[in-house]
Amino acid sequence: MTSIKRYSPLVMLFDLGKLVRNSFFFVIYLYVIKAGSASLFIKYGRIVFLLAVGWTFLSIIYKWFTHKYELDHQSFHLYKGLFSKSEQTIPFSKIQNVNRHTSIFHRMFNMTSIHFETGVKDEGATIKFDVISQTEAERMEAYVKNASRSKPAGLRHEVNDNGFKIEQQDRTTENPGVVIPQEDPNRTIHFESTKKDILKASLTSFSFLALIPLIGSFYYKINEIFHLEDTTGGLFKQLISSWWVMTILVTVVVIASAAFGIMRTYLKYGKYKISSDSSHIYITRGIIDETAFTISKEKVQAIEINQSMMKRLLGLAKVKLRSAGKLNFGEETLETSTLYPFLPINKAYELVSDILPSYTITQEMIRLPKKSLWVRILSPSWFWLIATIVLYYFKPVIWGVEQAWIVLSAALLVCILLARLLNFFHTSYVMNGQFIQFKTGALTTSLFVSKREKVIEVKMTRNIIQKWLGLASIETTNRGKPVHHSSVEDVPVELAHSFFQWYANRKNDIRVE
């Protein structure tokens, strides 16, 4: 058991940096744009802003002095408070995911951040160490991974199956056990991104389009402060009125956008590596800001393989591992549970088979019966009905056509029917032993695969039309944040009954310890 420790003092500097970043635009607005304003709103706004900054600054210092932690061989122990103290104990067995993020700030001080996600919805669901040494983070992660394999006190040295060297002393002594992670020779590398993968990713993600709104936003903000349009006297408008100047500008913007998209994708997905050992999956990515994700294979609730229309054209797919945990680093939501999101479809299936051999993906699936198409075609569309009523009320005139609302309503109806038709052809299902598999979608398709033991609830619903045609809708529920629901509509009612019987056999899969 380790001794009680305070968090790194650098966490105060880290939080102070976030305070400065969040306050930047308030400072620009209150003290630059409105520098000479005598408005009471601005006057009191500055006072409130200064009070908020001062309170946050004091809270940062108070938090560092009062928040502490320690580890034993089974749990985290978190302490906080000065006058009203509280203690929280989180067993290692509750940890779903382990996530590490190393930003430029962390690199400057040879630190990192590590979050342990438990998968519950309470306030203490995530154990966060925003600034921590690399050695301490590795030691914590090794403790979590080896909790179930740790031996009682009295052993001095041990190397476990994952290649971690454990030095332990008797718990009655002052010096705590130390876990020193070593590279696992049994870890298999399944995928590493190449230059070709980066080019495909930049094209598929349309990241090259991100430069244009960034330029527009930057120009708007600068113009608000320095009034560029007034000072230049309309020089920009005169320049773009010339066709050759406009041609050069468009060419430059296109080249710059392509370069920006490739660079942005490279910084985000460069050094992308997927590896695994006998018990865990490891995902790392990033050039400047590095992100590492670790998940136990036993904690995988389901697998999703998603394809957008562009990805289907290029034969690519995104594979996501559904688990009970989800992680936010500041304002950025990290999809670290996603395997490389631009995998060739055949490589995606192969990767799932290699990483999770206990999962089986069935290539041949059962299509919906033809009567399901009639249910989808004939079902009323409330969206189309409301949109038509709004169009009829306003009756917009487009290109001089007074009855344009009728054309818009008809076009919307055609789009809705086409989407339903695509959804029918893309929907399929199969129950294969302990596995259930759904495929749904119209322009974007999603293949969902889960084990019976990971499904916590099933449901069947039937509307009037489905009862007439002998159809039903079935749904599964898996743990997650939020809880994940997956369903397929308009399947034969006989399948729905078999679906319930399939789930009833779940008792054969559950092992009670």
Side-chain angles (χ1 to χ4, degrees):
M1 184 171 183
T2 65
S3 58
I4 298 177
K5 298 181 180 180
R6 280 198 177 97
Y7 294 81
S8 170
L10 289 173
V11 75
M12 291 188 287
L13 184 60
F14 180 77
D15 290 338
L16 185 61
K18 291 196 295 183
L19 175 61
V20 172
R21 183 191 63 187
N22 296 334
S23 304
F24 178 76
F25 288 108
F26 290 99
V27 172
I28 294 296
Y29 180 78
L30 293 173
Y31 295 97
V32 179
I33 298 177
K34 299 296 183 180
S37 176
S39 169
L40 289 177
F41 174 77
I42 299 299
K43 179 181 178 180
Y44 288 111
R46 292 169 181 166
I47 295 174
V48 172
F49 171 73
L50 291 176
L51 290 175
V53 170
W55 176 261
T56 305
F57 179 75
L58 294 176
S59 298
I60 291 172
I61 299 175
Y62 173 81
K63 179 181 177 182
W64 182 77
F65 272 104
T66 58
H67 286 216
K68 302 176 184 178
Y69 71 94
E70 67 175 336
L71 285 73
D72 59 24
H73 295 279
Q74 298 296 329
S75 307
F76 284 101
H77 300 274
L78 309 178
Y79 308 94
K80 62 181 179 179
L82 182 61
F83 302 104
S84 177
K85 297 184 178 181
S86 65
E87 176 183 352
Q88 185 181 14
T89 300
I90 301 97
F92 294 150
S93 59
K94 299 297 183 182
I95 303 298
Q96 298 285 332
N97 309 326
V98 180
N99 303 268
R100 294 174 66 172
H101 182 67
T102 307
S103 65
I104 298 178
F105 173 87
H106 295 103
R107 285 173 177 267
M108 291 172 57
F109 300 99
N110 194 28
M111 307 292 275
T112 188
S113 64
I114 187 167
H115 293 186
F116 299 90
E117 180 64 48
T118 63
V120 299
K121 296 183 179 180
D122 297 336
E123 181 181 353
T126 303
I127 306 167
K128 301 179 181 180
F129 297 89
D130 289 327
V131 182
I132 193 171
S133 67
Q134 297 278 358
T135 302
E136 182 76 354
E138 291 170 355
R139 188 175 66 89
M140 286 181 174
E141 187 171 355
Y143 259 78
V144 172
K145 289 179 59 178
N146 294 277
S148 60
R149 305 174 186 175
S150 297
K151 300 296 182 180
L155 292 177
R156 302 293 295 181
H157 298 280
E158 180 183 355
V159 178
N160 65 9
D161 296 335
N162 287 337
F164 290 95
K165 181 180 177 182
I166 303 176
E167 299 178 2
Q168 295 183 346
Q169 294 182 349
D170 191 278
R171 299 190 186 189
T172 59
T173 63
E174 294 182 359
N175 296 326
V178 179
V179 181
I180 304 175
Q182 298 178 345
E183 184 178 356
D184 183 6
N186 297 320
R187 187 180 296 187
T188 302
I189 298 176
H190 301 280
F191 174 81
E192 289 185 280
S193 60
T194 62
K195 294 179 180 179
K196 184 178 179 181
D197 295 320
I198 298 297
L199 289 175
K200 284 185 178 181
S202 62
L203 175 63
T204 309
S205 63
F206 295 101
S207 58
F208 55 88
L209 298 178
L211 181 62
I212 298 175
L214 283 178
I215 295 175
S217 176
F218 178 76
Y219 175 80
Y220 174 78
K221 291 176 180 177
I222 294 298
N223 183 58
E224 282 288 317
I225 299 173
F226 298 105
H227 305 287
L228 294 180
E229 293 183 357
D230 297 335
T231 56
T232 57
L235 177 62
F236 181 73
K237 293 182 180 179
Q238 294 178 10
L239 289 175
I240 63 175
S241 63
S242 174
W243 68 268
W244 64 271
V245 174
M246 191 64 182
T247 302
I248 294 176
L249 287 176
V250 170
T251 304
V252 171
V253 169
V254 169
I255 295 174
S257 298
F260 175 80
I262 294 173
M263 180 59 64
R264 183 171 179 265
T265 306
Y266 173 71
L267 293 177
K268 184 176 182 180
Y269 295 108
K271 294 184 179 179
Y272 207 109
K273 183 166 68 174
I274 304 171
S275 59
S276 69
D277 56 25
S278 60
S279 59
H280 289 79
I281 302 168
Y282 309 90
I283 304 172
T284 59
R285 68 171 173 88
I287 301 297
I288 298 177
D289 284 5
E290 295 182 354
T291 302
F293 175 80
T294 303
I295 181 173
S296 171
K297 292 182 179 181
E298 295 181 354
K299 302 296 176 67
V300 175
Q301 302 292 318
I303 299 171
E304 278 189 27
I305 301 178
N306 299 323
Q307 287 185 288
S308 63
M309 185 167 61
M310 177 63 74
K311 287 182 179 179
R312 287 206 307 274
L313 293 175
L314 296 176
L316 303 177
K318 176 174 72 172
V319 181
K320 185 170 184 179
L321 306 179
R322 283 281 176 184
S323 65
K326 181 180 179 181
L327 180 65
N328 293 331
F329 272 114
E331 297 176 355
E332 180 186 9
T333 301
L334 300 179
E335 266 193 310
T336 43
S337 58
T338 300
L339 303 183
Y340 191 74
F342 309 100
L343 288 167
I345 185 64
N346 294 331
K347 178 65 176 178
Y349 288 125
E350 179 184 343
L351 196 62
V352 171
S353 177
D354 291 342
I355 294 177
L356 296 168
S358 61
Y359 273 80
T360 300
I361 298 180
T362 305
Q363 298 286 349
E364 297 294 330
M365 301 179 66
I366 303 173
R367 303 282 297 273
L368 294 176
K370 292 183 179 179
K371 55 185 177 181
S372 300
L373 177 61
W374 293 107
V375 174
R376 296 167 184 241
I377 295 296
L378 298 178
S379 296
S381 172
W382 297 108
F383 175 74
W384 172 80
L385 183 60
I386 294 173
T388 301
I389 293 174
V390 172
L391 288 170
Y392 175 77
Y393 179 80
F394 290 100
K395 292 184 179 179
V397 178
I398 301 176
W399 296 328
V401 180
E402 296 183 356
Q403 303 298 323
W405 69 273
I406 299 178
V407 178
L408 292 175
S409 176
L412 179 60
L413 180 61
V414 170
C415 291
I416 291 174
L417 292 177
L418 181 60
R420 291 181 175 183
L421 184 64
L422 290 174
N423 185 274
F424 169 78
F425 284 114
H426 288 158
T427 300
S428 53
Y429 57 89
V430 69
M431 287 184 294
N432 180 19
Q434 61 174 323
F435 298 97
I436 191 164
Q437 192 168 308
F438 298 152
K439 185 176 182 180
T440 57
L443 298 178
T444 299
T445 61
S446 176
L447 177 66
F448 173 83
V449 184
S450 183
K451 283 185 177 181
R452 181 167 48 199
E453 66 185 71
K454 302 296 183 180
V455 178
I456 60 175
E457 181 182 327
V458 297
K459 182 171 68 173
M460 177 185 72
T461 58
R462 303 181 72 191
N463 58 36
I464 296 177
I465 299 178
Q466 288 177 329
K467 288 181 179 180
W468 288 344
L469 296 177
L471 302 174
S473 298
I474 57 177
E475 179 182 296
T476 62
T477 303
N478 292 75
R479 290 185 178 89
K481 286 177 47 180
V483 174
H484 180 71
H485 301 274
S486 184
S487 62
V488 60
E489 299 179 349
D490 306 320
V491 300
V493 69
E494 294 81 11
L495 172 76
H497 294 313
S498 300
F499 173 65
F500 275 102
Q501 184 59 47
W502 170 85
Y503 187 69
N505 294 330
R506 182 175 184 266
K507 60 184 179 181
N508 300 325
D509 304 326
I510 302 299
R511 292 174 296 176
V512 180
E513 297 181 357

